[in-house]
Amino acid sequence: MLLPFLLSSDESEADNLLADLLSGCAVPGIESIVRSMFGGPAAREINYGVHQQEDIEDLVGEIYLKILRRLRGLKQSPNEDTIKDFRSYVAVTTYNTCTDYVRVKYPNWYGLKKKLRYALAHDPDFAIWEGTGRQRICGLAQWRGQERLVNCGWINEARMNTDWCIQRGPADDVIDLLRAVFTSAKAPILLEDLVSLVAGILRIAVCPDGNEVQLEYLKPAQLPAGYIDPVYKQWQRECVNLLWNEIVQLPVRQRVAVLLAARDDGHSSVILIFSEICIASIREIAQAVGMSANEFAQILPKLPLDDNAIGKHLGVDRRRVKTYRLSARRRLVRRMKSTD
């Protein structure tokens, strides 16, 4: 694959061969690996989709430049630094760059992944192995080598279900936590999905400014600048609780029109505020909009939805969605005033 480019003595032809090599082989491989690492459930747990596309674009561009510089250097000095397998080189460079990116941008996430990998590799009750496509799979020792993974529905429900996480008990002991997860799953799990699930239990999240915080263990004074603790004042929590109680009493179409479109000044969805301050579990929020936890988990990265998307979900046009939301807001304002 590299020889035509390396042996070409014509500069213009070499540039064309380099472009073909990058676009035809390198870029598809880079994008496939990056999207598998940053476009799935694990990434959504890191950043809830807010920075997901930015992460992907930044990484693809950075890896592309690394490979481009390496190939140009190889052209100038072909005998000094050879590449024996170009596809493997692209894959290794991509994985290493992604790992470095996570280590710097999400240190808690990276540290958690290292801790889990160590436990899986050194405790005789557990195992970690490589599956098809170089994906890391983990589970109980007797499952080693299996590629029949746990049902995705169970992963989504466990990840999004606050009640399930609470039932796992304290997460101080990694071994006990892993044993509880695998006992419930009853099948092997992708390592990335396991890290995602445990991160949810430990409440490792990312603020809107991209800074990672570990919500359970940080005091308000230690949080990044701009972060607002929604339970800092008890009366604020009580107001949100009253609001949720009024929302669930709305007709279902009005609830859907309000909740799926709710956004802050930065146009980010605020629907998860009820879960984050333990007013309602993810399952209860999903029920409020007429979905299962699995269905809600699938649309979560797309929130907030516009009126066309909400109308498609409800089987009505966008004008009817606006009418539902206006009616809901009027009722909520009236009811909240009566509780003052």
Side-chain angles (χ1 to χ4, degrees), residues 69-288:
R69 286 194 294 265
R70 175 73 187 278
L71 292 181
R72 284 178 172 168
L74 194 62
K75 176 71 173 174
Q76 295 174 356
S77 306
N79 296 323
E80 291 184 8
D81 193 12
T82 60
I83 296 175
K84 296 181 179 180
D85 185 328
F86 183 61
R87 291 185 188 277
S88 294
Y89 164 71
V90 170
V92 169
T93 301
T94 303
Y95 278 114
N96 289 343
T97 305
C98 288
T99 299
D100 289 342
Y101 186 87
V102 173
R103 177 177 54 82
V104 173
K105 190 168 184 179
Y106 307 113
N108 288 339
W109 179 274
Y110 179 78
L112 174 63
K113 185 173 181 178
K114 282 186 64 178
K115 190 174 184 179
L116 292 176
R117 286 191 65 162
Y118 183 87
L120 290 165
H122 290 82
D123 191 284
D125 289 341
F126 309 125
I128 181 169
W129 62 95
E130 189 173 287
T132 304
R134 303 188 64 178
Q135 291 182 311
R136 291 287 177 178
I137 302 173
C138 55
L140 297 177
Q142 58 264 35
W143 299 341
R144 186 190 299 273
Q146 290 186 26
E147 296 202 31
R148 180 185 60 82
L149 301 177
V150 66
N151 183 281
C152 288
W154 180 87
I155 296 174
N156 289 332
E157 281 196 31
R159 184 185 297 114
M160 303 304 296
N161 187 346
T162 303
D163 296 336
W164 188 93
C165 294
I166 292 173
Q167 290 167 8
R168 297 309 94 199
D172 299 332
D173 191 321
V174 171
I175 301 302
D176 286 346
L177 183 58
L178 289 174
R179 190 172 289 113
V181 169
F182 294 138
T183 300
S184 296
K186 299 181 176 64
I189 303 176
L190 288 176
L191 177 61
E192 297 296 330
D193 286 336
L194 176 67
V195 180
S196 168
L197 179 55
V198 175
I201 296 173
L202 297 179
R203 300 197 69 200
I204 294 175
V206 171
C207 293
D209 61 2
N211 292 316
E212 183 186 65
V213 294
Q214 191 154 354
L215 299 177
E216 276 192 350
Y217 306 117
L218 292 184
K219 298 177 181 179
Q222 297 173 300
L223 291 169
Y227 179 78
I228 299 174
D229 181 358
V231 293
Y232 187 67
K233 293 183 179 180
Q234 182 62 27
W235 67 267
Q236 290 178 320
R237 174 184 168 80
E238 291 174 355
C239 286
V240 177
N241 191 31
L242 286 171
L243 177 61
W244 174 255
N245 289 335
E246 293 299 333
I247 288 175
V248 295
Q249 294 181 49
L250 293 170
V252 64
R253 290 180 175 235
Q254 291 184 14
R255 295 200 302 265
V256 171
V258 168
L259 290 172
L260 295 187
R263 66 193 70 201
D264 59 18
D265 292 339
H267 302 287
S268 297
S269 176
V270 295
I271 193 172
L272 289 183
I273 188 68
F274 300 108
S275 171
E276 289 168 0
I277 64 175
C278 299
I279 296 295
S281 69
I282 294 296
R283 186 185 297 277
E284 289 171 328
I285 298 173
Q287 289 174 346

Side-chain angles (χ1 to χ4, degrees), residues 253 256-257 260 305-322 324-325:
R253 290 180 175 235
V256 171
L260 295 187
L305 299 183
D306 59 30
D307 288 344
N308 287 324
I310 295 173
K312 184 177 180 180
H313 174 69
L314 293 175
V316 298
D317 60 38
R318 61 191 301 270
R319 289 176 297 179
R320 184 60 61 88
V321 173
K322 290 181 180 293
Y324 290 147
R325 188 159 51 250

